[in-house]
Amino acid sequence: MSVLEGINSKALKTGDLPPPSPSPNTFRIYSMRFCPAAQRALIYASVKKIPSEVININLQQKPDWYFTKNYKGQVPTLEHAEGKKLVIESAVIPEYLDDIFPETKILPSDPYEKVQQKLLLERLSDQLTPAFGRVFRAIKNPEELKEKFESILKAFEEAESLLEGAFYSGTSSPGFVDYLIYPSFQRVYWLTFLLEIFPLPSDNFPGPGYPKLSQWFKAITAIPEVAAASQSTENGVGSCKEYMKGLPYFDYGL
Amino acid sequence: MVLTGVTSKAIRKGDAEPPLSKGSFRVYNMRFCPWAERAMLYVAAKGIEAEVVNLNVTDKLEWYWTKHYQGKAPAVEHNGKVVIESGFIPEYLDDAFPETRILPTDPYEKVQQKLLADRLTAVAHAVPLLFAVMRDRTLKDEKQRKVFEVLKQAENLLANDFYAGSQPGYPDYLSFPFFEKIWWSASLDGVVDLPTIEFPGEEEYPKLTKWFQKMISSDVVQSVTQSLEHGAAFMNAYATHQELNYDLGL
């Protein structure tokens, strides 16, 4: 049973009334169903088994009140203590959750091991996120696409070489890096269904060129707490198609 | 003096790795780099006894690539462990040396200071705008308008004497180097209309001006920083793609 309530609630938009402050001991995560950054916070809360109420935001028609939660108007935002505590940024929220719920801490306690996990996440993100963005933005221009694929393949080569064991945590169980980088890999996985000419396969993604990564992706995808915090391939791919047509996609599949 | 080697000559390609004795702490630095200065300030503020090794980052050392995969400064090294990235080193130092912790221990207060420092990176992004003006003075009016916006935002975010409260802390040390680079720019002709005396100007930025004076005159900053004259000259050479003298002023 998932600890995330409302993960598929309708996105709130301009004109919608603000939700009441969360009740005492309630954690709320402002999200958007297909946002990989928000998914990080959802996965972390799910794995740490923090009962959380999810409110989705329409990022193209943001409610005015949402800027009082996050001055950038971005997701995710974590809200608790009856609305008195607000934390933003997808790489910061997980650390905060580990600090306030140390009994389910995911990051290592050792200072050196902890900082190495944070550095590894940033190194992987700095390659994967912009590479995906370049492909996605070029998706309507087939001529441009093939050169954009190169940066994805390069990012995957680096990701494969940085994966030394079964998980990026360096232990026999997934950790901070595994949970937080997974959404970026999932987005590329969705591309394999969207684009016939995409150079990576859907089956056993990302394919025989990346043996460790293929095992890794399969293992993370199979974790129930990760699945509970993630959108299905069907909905993910469908939402991308709506986006490509310029149609609203936040509530796709609902 | 807690830091030794702050004004040592930069080592370069061909130079051997200096031995680091067990238990010793080292910071790999570039004297004029604002990102490296963040680490230097934090080490100094925590009172960590450290040896500074200045790097020539143009003529990169072969062995340094094993410490930083991009060959950049800063890095800190002790007990055989190397930590890189100015955004991560400070919190690591607080975790590894908790007796001189600068960040709050309360999780919410800690995260808010980290987010404030993150928000102040807008100042870091303002610095390259002034580099563009150093290359082409006709861009001054356009670029400095954005710099002024960033400074106004920084002024508004300063709720107390310091960003961390009544004493300097994490957001102060992590943002100061970039304010300093704007200050260096102000000393160059025709780059930005800001005073070098009482920078950035009491009329427009009253709190920020007091903050900057307190920071620049503090022992922590003075123990690691470079002079206005040499800093401005180096930065101008960097911006205009001239040959860089990492030992300028030594």
Side-chain angles (χ1 to χ4, degrees):
Chain A
M1 184 59 192
S2 173
V3 295
L4 303 176
E5 183 187 335
I7 189 170
N8 285 313
S9 54
K10 288 288 181 71
L12 300 184
K13 62 184 191 296
T14 309
D16 285 336
L17 293 177
S21 292
S23 53
N25 301 316
T26 292
F27 279 74
R28 177 181 289 165
I29 299 172
Y30 293 96
S31 181
M32 194 280 279
R33 290 166 64 225
F34 305 104
C35 174
Q39 190 180 344
R40 287 176 156 190
L42 298 179
I43 289 174
Y44 220 74
S46 182
V47 169
K48 286 180 69 73
K49 301 195 193 306
I50 301 168
S52 304
E53 168 188 85
V54 181
I55 291 184
N56 289 312
I57 301 292
N58 181 316
L59 296 180
Q60 280 168 359
Q61 299 178 65
K62 298 170 192 179
D64 290 342
W65 52 262
Y66 185 62
F67 288 88
T68 65
K69 312 292 186 189
N70 184 320
Y71 74 95
K72 297 179 177 181
Q74 290 172 358
V75 292
T77 300
L78 176 76
E79 181 177 38
H80 73 111
E82 297 173 305
K84 292 192 277 289
K85 293 185 174 176
L86 289 161
V87 181
I88 66 176
E89 302 297 349
S90 70
V92 172
I93 289 169
E95 277 193 72
Y96 177 68
L97 291 176
D98 265 358
D99 279 348
I100 62 178
F101 294 104
E103 61 281 357
T104 52
K105 184 186 256 285
I106 292 171
L107 273 164
S109 293
D110 175 79
Y112 180 71
E113 289 175 6
K114 177 175 163 185
V115 74
Q116 293 307 310
Q117 285 287 289
K118 294 196 277 182
L119 284 162
L120 181 54
L121 175 66
E122 179 160 288
R123 188 168 172 179
L124 288 165
S125 295
D126 282 356
Q127 289 231 50
L128 269 166
T129 303
F132 169 81
R134 279 191 285 267
V135 169
F136 201 67
R137 282 188 295 274
I139 215 158
K140 299 174 186 176
N141 305 303
E143 321 86 59
E144 277 184 51
L145 265 178
K146 280 180 180 163
E147 60 182 275
K148 306 302 182 192
F149 290 158
E150 247 173 70
S151 58
I152 288 232
L153 296 181
K154 187 184 174 192
F156 270 66
E157 278 175 35
E158 174 109 343
E160 172 80 8
S161 71
L162 288 170
L163 183 55
E164 290 172 356
F167 300 105
Y168 287 109
S169 62
T171 69
S172 56
S173 304
F176 179 84
V177 177
D178 304 285
Y179 294 129
L180 299 189
I181 200 64
Y182 172 77
S184 298
F185 282 101
Q186 190 192 34
R187 296 301 175 281
V188 179
Y189 177 58
W190 292 352
L191 284 180
T192 68
F193 293 94
L194 280 165
L195 298 167
E196 286 185 5
I197 59 173
F198 196 70
L200 296 173
S202 302
D203 289 346
N204 296 306
F205 173 85
Y210 312 91
K212 289 180 288 178
L213 261 186
S214 300
Q215 286 296 311
W216 176 88
F217 186 76
K218 186 177 176 182
I220 304 296
T221 303
I223 298 170
E225 291 84 358
V226 172
S230 307
Q231 294 293 321
S232 66
T233 302
E234 181 187 14
N235 281 347
V237 173
S239 72
C240 291
K241 287 177 177 173
E242 296 295 275
Y243 170 83
M244 286 159 69
K245 296 172 191 165
L247 297 173
Y249 63 97
F250 303 104
D251 296 334
Y252 182 84
L254 300 183
Chain B
M1 180 67 93
V2 182
L3 301 177
T4 58
V6 174
T7 54
S8 55
K9 291 288 182 72
I11 58 180
R12 67 198 300 148
K13 189 169 187 174
D15 288 340
E17 179 178 353
L20 181 62
S21 53
K22 200 173 174 90
S24 289
F25 192 99
R26 176 180 287 166
V27 185
Y28 293 98
N29 182 43
M30 197 282 271
R31 289 170 58 221
F32 303 98
C33 173
W35 306 99
E37 190 178 348
R38 285 174 143 191
M40 294 280 283
L41 286 169
Y42 220 77
V43 168
K46 286 182 69 73
I48 297 172
E49 294 195 9
E51 173 201 21
V52 177
V53 170
N54 289 318
L55 304 171
N56 178 320
V57 298
T58 306
D59 206 14
K60 290 190 210 277
L61 305 121
E62 294 90 345
W63 53 264
Y64 188 66
W65 292 96
T66 64
K67 305 204 189 279
H68 193 312
Y69 70 99
Q70 292 170 311
K72 300 192 299 189
V76 296
E77 182 175 23
H78 67 118
N79 295 338
K81 294 172 176 162
V82 180
V83 178
I84 63 175
E85 297 296 341
S86 71
F88 291 109
I89 288 169
E91 189 173 4
Y92 165 71
L93 293 177
D94 269 351
D95 286 344
F97 301 93
E99 61 283 354
T100 51
R101 175 174 278 278
I102 292 173
L103 274 165
T105 49
D106 174 79
Y108 189 66
E109 286 174 24
K110 177 167 99 169
V111 79
Q112 292 308 308
Q113 287 205 16
K114 286 165 64 178
L115 289 170
L116 179 53
D118 186 60
R119 199 162 175 178
L120 288 166
T121 55
V123 185
H125 302 319
V127 175
L129 302 176
L130 298 176
F131 291 168
V133 182
M134 290 172 206
R135 290 189 289 272
D136 180 356
R137 292 306 201 266
T138 67
L139 298 174
K140 176 183 159 189
D141 285 347
E142 171 201 335
K143 301 298 184 184
Q144 73 173 358
R145 202 177 306 124
K146 294 189 183 104
V147 172
F148 295 161
E149 279 170 28
V150 166
L151 290 176
K152 179 53 67 177
Q153 185 183 66
E155 166 81 10
N156 292 338
L157 287 171
L158 189 53
N160 296 288
D161 286 347
F162 297 95
Y163 288 106
S166 59
Q167 296 297 323
Y170 183 91
D172 302 279
Y173 294 126
L174 267 68
S175 64
F176 174 80
F178 304 100
F179 287 103
E180 185 187 47
K181 287 347 172 233
I182 299 178
W183 179 53
W184 289 357
S185 305
S187 76
L188 297 169
D189 282 341
V191 174
V192 63
D193 294 323
L194 290 167
T196 50
I197 309 296
E198 302 293 308
F199 170 88
E202 207 162 65
E203 187 176 334
E204 293 289 332
Y205 318 99
K207 290 180 291 179
L208 200 55
T209 300
K210 287 187 180 68
W211 174 86
F212 188 82
Q213 301 318 306
K214 287 192 181 81
M215 291 294 292
I216 194 74
S217 62
S218 69
D219 290 341
V220 165
V221 168
Q222 285 302 311
S223 68
V224 311
T225 195
Q226 308 300 322
S227 72
L228 173 66
E229 176 195 1
H230 296 133
F234 184 93
M235 194 172 58
N236 185 60
Y238 175 83
T240 56
H241 310 304
Q242 296 174 47
E243 188 178 348
L244 300 174
N245 179 4
Y246 293 94
D247 298 329
L248 187 64
L250 299 182

